[in-house]
Amino acid sequence: DVKVTQSSRYLVKRTGEKVFLECVQDMDHENMFWYRQDPGLGLRLIYFSYDVKMKEKGDIPEGYSVSREKKERFSLILESASTNQTSMYLCASSTAGTSGTDTQYFGPGTRLTVL
Amino acid sequence: DQQVKQNSPSLSVQEGRISILNCDYTNSMFDYFLWYKKYPAEGPTFLISISSIKDKNEDGRFTVFLNKSAKHLSLHIVPSQPGDSAVYFCAANPLGRGGADGLTFGKGTHLIIQP
């Protein structure tokens, strides 16, 4: 079974703090993704990575950065947390197929609250 | 501009009956479609997918239908069970992108199965 784990299920931070969200997958997947989920907005892609040290912006990258130093680990960084970054953050991974038919597997999510 | 639309935020169905969840898309480059199921405080789990070369895919109680000319897909659950109560997300992947890009998600439909 594919396993995607996220470092925290719940996190509370203060405005202006630097926040690290960690994600680890154990299936040797090449692709990793960070989404946020907000009520009424569905899941929106923040950043993704298709290889170690590679990163691509998704639909809403502003205020975030990412790091992928090892294949299994993909970190999301909030440089200076703001209240509008209060959300559920979801990490996902998938294989590097060439057909576009690769299923993404999600972690349990991190509920981040910024006060 | 929303490229994947789920126009029903919620749907209530009696246990044992058929649940039909709908999804429309606008981007003609999408050619692979997935349905995910999400319980509160958990990550989405993959349910079923369909490639644009097919018009139907079935897996147990779940069937996905694709009408490419209408840019419409639907998920049928028969018979509906209490454990099916969850939020269902429709997602799409563009042609030939190798799965390395993130999925485009709809906003989700909250399915409630009533006893």
Side-chain angles (χ1 to χ4, degrees):
Chain A
D1 263 2
V2 176
K3 187 127 182 169
V4 180
T5 56
Q6 294 183 229
S7 51
S8 305
R9 293 300 300 271
Y10 299 93
L11 209 52
V12 179
K13 295 291 181 180
R14 297 207 174 272
T15 301
E17 278 193 79
K18 191 169 185 175
V19 182
F20 292 86
L21 302 182
E22 305 286 341
C23 175
V24 177
Q25 49 93 5
D26 66 357
M27 284 302 292
D28 203 34
H29 283 170
E30 289 78 10
N31 305 324
M32 296 188 75
F33 311 85
W34 276 106
Y35 294 87
R36 63 179 280 179
Q37 184 201 356
D38 300 289
L41 296 177
L43 276 73
R44 294 179 292 166
L45 181 65
I46 305 171
Y47 266 97
F48 61 98
S49 168
Y50 52 87
D51 201 353
V52 176
K53 296 199 185 291
M54 305 302 288
K55 60 185 179 184
E56 294 284 344
K57 292 180 180 179
D59 299 320
I60 51 164
E62 296 78 19
Y64 303 95
S65 62
V66 290
S67 172
R68 191 155 180 213
E69 297 297 319
K70 293 184 178 181
K71 189 176 185 180
E72 68 271 17
R73 188 178 297 267
F74 192 35
S75 303
L76 180 70
I77 303 154
L78 286 65
E79 297 290 343
S80 177
S82 64
T83 54
N84 63 12
Q85 292 178 310
T86 292
S87 187
M88 168 73 91
Y89 289 88
L90 294 158
C91 176
S93 71
S94 72
T95 56
T98 55
S99 64
T101 60
D102 305 289
T103 301
Q104 292 186 15
Y105 296 91
F106 284 83
T110 296
R111 169 70 66 183
L112 173 67
T113 302
V114 182
L115 300 176
Chain B
D1 183 30
Q2 206 183 346
Q3 298 184 66
V4 177
K5 299 177 185 177
Q6 293 177 257
N7 292 320
S8 299
S10 67
L11 177 67
S12 185
V13 175
Q14 207 155 12
E15 182 179 357
R17 299 282 183 107
I18 182 171
S19 295
I20 301 175
L21 293 92
N22 293 304
C23 178
D24 297 291
Y25 62 97
T26 57
N27 189 340
S28 57
M29 296 298 287
F30 288 147
D31 82 328
Y32 187 63
F33 304 90
L34 307 90
W35 284 94
Y36 282 84
K37 176 179 176 180
K38 186 181 185 298
Y39 294 119
E42 292 184 15
T45 54
F46 169 72
L47 200 55
I48 193 169
S49 62
I50 189 166
S51 166
S52 61
I53 60 172
K54 293 185 173 182
D55 55 18
K56 178 183 173 182
N57 188 27
E58 200 170 344
D59 184 1
R61 295 187 299 116
F62 303 92
T63 303
V64 56
F65 295 91
L66 175 63
N67 182 334
K68 206 175 172 187
S69 61
K71 293 190 175 69
H72 175 83
L73 62 154
S74 60
L75 174 68
H76 292 213
I77 307 173
V78 182
S80 300
Q81 298 175 354
D84 296 330
S85 294
V87 177
Y88 290 78
F89 290 99
C90 174
N93 210 17
L95 181 70
R97 299 296 284 272
D101 292 349
L103 294 167
T104 300
F105 282 85
K107 294 184 178 182
T109 296
H110 185 194
L111 176 63
I112 302 158
I113 306 301
Q114 294 184 333

